[in-house]
């Protein structure tokens, strides 16, 4: 064979062609169209019109410093990074964070949020900057008061002047709410820069698109079979679709809503109430460039019974690094997630999930394949 092909490059070309054969064989035209719909990655980097400091380099730098600054908490002992750890995909690796009181929800990773429509498991916020204000104000988290924030800016004159310079706002004359908005927008400018790298799956998708299959190595046959389940019988892609591998909305897959002491997490149902009543939503006076900001999304949200028990459909990018999983961190590993969908309890589903989801009853090999695929994301 070596003699026939002459050179090592020829051999590689042959491997590439073998790859074409497998792919062409196992994916139909329709499946290949769905695979293309998961890209391109990354998406285009448009600035957030509701935040004047979006994509501003000085703001990004200042926002990064604030993200690690413990002085933004009541007792100077808690920063954003303490829960959203850069060495842990900006999550904390815990089911429910117990380092700073008892959290009731799993800490999400902060990658790729510039393309999210909603923030928080119940979509309590409609912008990255307003979501960033929530942990500062929350008595269970950083419990920062306007008075404390003002004292900090009085003491740290350098920080105060940097904020004034980059925002163009004279902070001494402004209300506490404005100060929180400025800090939120700086934090958002930094978080917008957290974009995950293209993965083995993206390279595979791109290779299919350009028919350059030699670069699709790292995507095993098992992963290909798993992908086939994901876009086929598994119906995963009906909710986890597009480049984000999420439709950006909410769903109910039957994860328990119970919190300890008999309390219930109402998910999107409570999220909508919080969103609508927040002074920091995109309809409010703190949203910059009102003429450019897309408002209809927030304006047209109405509370419906089906929202009860719905949670944000998470992006699956980087998913092998962001466990434990689900809004309550109840599934420790990706294998547990695959088992969960395989054995789904239909009685627990209330809403749209009912129409889409069925227990998949996967064989051990199929589970392994689906896992291989999820790991390529
Ligand atoms: C005590 C731990 C903790 C701290 C401190 C904390 N967070 Fe979070 N963060 C969480 C948890 C838990 C959630 C999920 C909250 C929810 O769904 O209501 C979350 C959600 C978020 C989200 C929404 C992510 C998504 O996928 O929708 C963003 C953005 C965020 N935090 C940014 C920040 C910023 C910025 C700070 C600092 C100002 C911060 N967080 C401080 C634990 C923390
Ligand atoms: C009906 C819409 C829907 C379908 C279909 C669906 N999911 Fe999900 N998925 C969700 C929602 C909603 C959550 C979060 C649920 C929660 O936390 O209560 C989720 C969570 C996950 C998570 C956890 C991510 C994280 O960061 O916590 C993974 C992994 C996942 N889904 C994979 C899959 C796979 C694989 C399939 C197909 C077998 C699938 N999903 C089908 C809606 C869906």
């Amino acid at each position: 064979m070596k003699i026939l092909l002459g050179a090592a490059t020829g051999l590689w070309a042959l491997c590439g062609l073998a790859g074409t054969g497998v792919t062409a064989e196992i994916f139909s035209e329709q499946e290949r169209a769905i695979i293309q719909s998961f890209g391109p990655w990354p998406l285009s980097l448009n600035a957030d019109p509701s935040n004047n400091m979006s994509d501003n380099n000085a703001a990004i730098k200042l926002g990064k410093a604030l993200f690690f600054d413990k002085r933004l908490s009541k007792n100077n002992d808690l920063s954003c990074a303490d829960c959203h750890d850069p060495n842990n995909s900006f999550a904390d690796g815990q089911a429910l964070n117990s380092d700073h009181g008892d959290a009731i929800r799993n800490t999400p990773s902060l990658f790729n949020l510039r393309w999210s429509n909603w923030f928080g498991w119940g979509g309590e916020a409609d912008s990255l900057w307003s979501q960033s204000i929530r942990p500062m104000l929350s008595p269970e988290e950083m419990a920062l008061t306007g008075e404390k924030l003002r004292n900090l800016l009085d003491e740290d004159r350098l920080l105060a002047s940097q904020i004034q310079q980059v925002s163009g706002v004279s902070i001494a004359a402004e209300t506490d709410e404005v100060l929180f908005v400025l800090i939120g927008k700086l934090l958002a400018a930094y978080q917008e820069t957290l974009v995950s790298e293209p993965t083995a799956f993206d390279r595979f998708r791109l290779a299919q698109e350009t028919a350059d299959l030699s670069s699709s190595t790292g995507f095993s046959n098992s992963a290909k079979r798993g992908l086939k389940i994901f876009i086929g019988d598994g119906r995963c892609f009906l909710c986890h679709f597009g480049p984000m591998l999420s439709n950006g909305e909410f769903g109910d897959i039957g994860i328990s809503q119970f919190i300890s002491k008999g309390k219930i997490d109402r998910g999107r149902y409570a999220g909508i109430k919080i969103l609508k009543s927040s002074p920091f939503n995109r309809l409010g006076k703190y949203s910059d460039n009102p003429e450019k900001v897309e408002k209809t999304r927030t304006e047209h949200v109405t509370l419906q019974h089906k929202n009860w028990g719905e949670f944000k459909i998470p992006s699956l990018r980087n998913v092998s690094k962001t466990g434990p999983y689900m809004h309550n961190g109840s599934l420790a590993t990706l294998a547990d997630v695959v088992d969960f969908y395989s054995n789904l309890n239909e009685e627990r589903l209330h809403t749209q999930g009912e129409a889409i989801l069925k227990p998949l009853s996967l064989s051990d090999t199929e589970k392994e394949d689906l896992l291989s695929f999820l790991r390529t994301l």
Side-chain angles (χ1 to χ4, degrees):
M1 189 120 121
K2 244 182 200 158
I3 299 163
L4 271 178
L5 284 166
T9 45
L11 195 63
W12 280 116
L14 192 71
C15 293
L17 284 176
T20 327
V22 171
T23 313
E25 232 170 73
I26 69 167
F27 292 111
S28 67
E29 190 106 344
Q30 198 195 356
E31 285 171 328
R32 272 181 281 168
I34 298 173
I35 292 168
Q36 287 314 313
S37 73
F38 293 125
W41 189 261
L43 289 156
S44 55
L45 304 173
N46 298 330
D48 174 358
S50 75
N51 178 359
N52 272 343
M53 295 189 278
S54 174
D55 276 349
N56 169 325
N57 283 331
I60 292 169
K61 208 168 147 219
L62 198 49
K64 181 172 182 179
L66 290 168
F67 190 83
F68 292 88
D69 197 330
K70 292 184 194 287
R71 294 175 302 172
L72 292 180
S73 63
K74 184 180 175 204
N75 300 318
N76 298 324
D77 60 355
L78 187 58
S79 74
C80 311
D82 287 328
C83 294
H84 300 284
D85 177 2
N87 297 318
N88 219 332
S89 296
F90 293 88
D92 56 17
Q94 301 186 41
L96 296 174
N97 193 304
S98 57
D99 300 341
H100 322 279
D102 292 325
I104 57 162
R105 288 179 174 175
N106 175 262
T107 306
S109 155
L110 299 184
F111 276 111
N112 308 324
L113 287 178
R114 67 184 297 148
W115 297 292
S116 246
N117 298 341
W118 310 109
F119 304 83
W121 283 104
E124 288 81 6
D126 59 2
S127 72
L128 194 46
W129 57 267
S130 65
Q131 170 64 38
S132 300
I133 297 171
R134 294 184 59 228
M136 287 190 278
L137 289 177
S138 159
E140 283 88 37
E141 293 176 72
M142 297 158 87
L144 184 64
T145 58
E147 193 188 354
K148 168 93 196 323
L149 180 55
R150 211 168 274 283
N151 287 342
L152 167 64
L153 296 174
D154 281 342
E155 280 161 24
D156 189 340
R157 297 309 302 164
L158 177 62
L159 176 63
S161 76
Q162 284 170 325
I163 294 176
Q164 295 203 135
Q165 205 164 26
V166 62
S167 67
V169 175
S170 166
I171 55 181
E174 291 295 352
T175 62
D176 291 353
E177 275 191 359
V178 171
L179 296 186
F180 277 106
V181 167
L182 291 176
I183 304 280
K185 287 181 179 173
L186 288 163
L187 287 165
Y190 164 60
Q191 293 168 85
E192 281 171 1
T193 64
L194 308 176
V195 174
S196 66
E197 294 294 319
T199 68
F201 172 66
D202 294 303
R203 288 187 286 279
F204 170 73
R205 188 196 56 75
L206 206 64
Q208 284 232 319
E209 186 184 48
T210 59
D212 168 20
L213 288 143
S214 57
S215 65
S216 70
T217 46
F219 201 75
S220 67
N221 281 333
S222 171
K224 285 177 196 166
R225 290 191 300 266
L227 168 57
K228 218 174 154 71
I229 297 173
F230 193 86
I231 62 178
D233 293 346
R235 310 223 253 176
C236 314
F237 83 107
L238 293 177
C239 296
H240 298 282
F241 69 64
M244 285 282 276
L245 292 132
S246 163
N247 67 2
E249 294 297 322
F250 302 83
D252 173 16
I253 59 170
I255 300 287
S256 173
Q257 286 175 256
F258 288 101
I259 319 170
S260 64
K261 300 183 194 110
K263 280 195 257 167
I264 286 203
D265 189 335
R266 294 173 178 81
R268 183 61 172 152
Y269 195 83
I272 290 176
K273 290 188 180 173
I274 295 170
L275 168 76
K276 288 276 192 177
S277 62
S278 168
F280 305 119
N281 70 29
R282 286 166 93 91
L283 308 176
K285 62 180 174 187
Y286 300 118
S287 179
D288 297 325
N289 303 309
E291 69 293 348
K292 284 197 209 140
V293 173
E294 208 254 286
K295 292 184 177 159
T296 47
R297 215 160 41 211
T298 304
E299 220 162 45
H300 292 321
V301 166
T302 51
L303 202 58
Q304 289 172 305
H305 188 69
K306 81 174 189 69
N307 300 128
W308 190 272
E310 283 186 331
F311 291 90
K312 181 171 168 178
I313 298 177
S315 165
L316 300 185
R317 286 201 167 266
N318 260 346
V319 73
S320 63
K321 297 182 190 156
T322 59
Y325 301 99
M326 306 301 171
H327 74 271
N328 58 3
S330 57
L331 301 178
T333 66
L334 269 186
D336 294 336
V337 175
V338 169
D339 277 338
F340 169 84
Y341 280 109
S342 187
N343 309 329
L344 206 71
N345 182 348
E346 279 182 279
E347 279 168 25
R348 274 211 182 160
L349 301 175
H350 313 116
T351 56
Q352 133 242 30
E354 214 165 356
I356 298 177
L357 285 163
K358 294 270 171 289
L360 300 176
S361 309
L362 300 172
S363 71
D364 286 349
T365 325
E366 286 168 329
K367 284 183 189 171
E368 210 33 68
D369 290 343
L370 189 52
L371 265 177
S372 303
F373 168 65
L374 292 173
R375 291 196 189 108
T376 69
L377 298 173

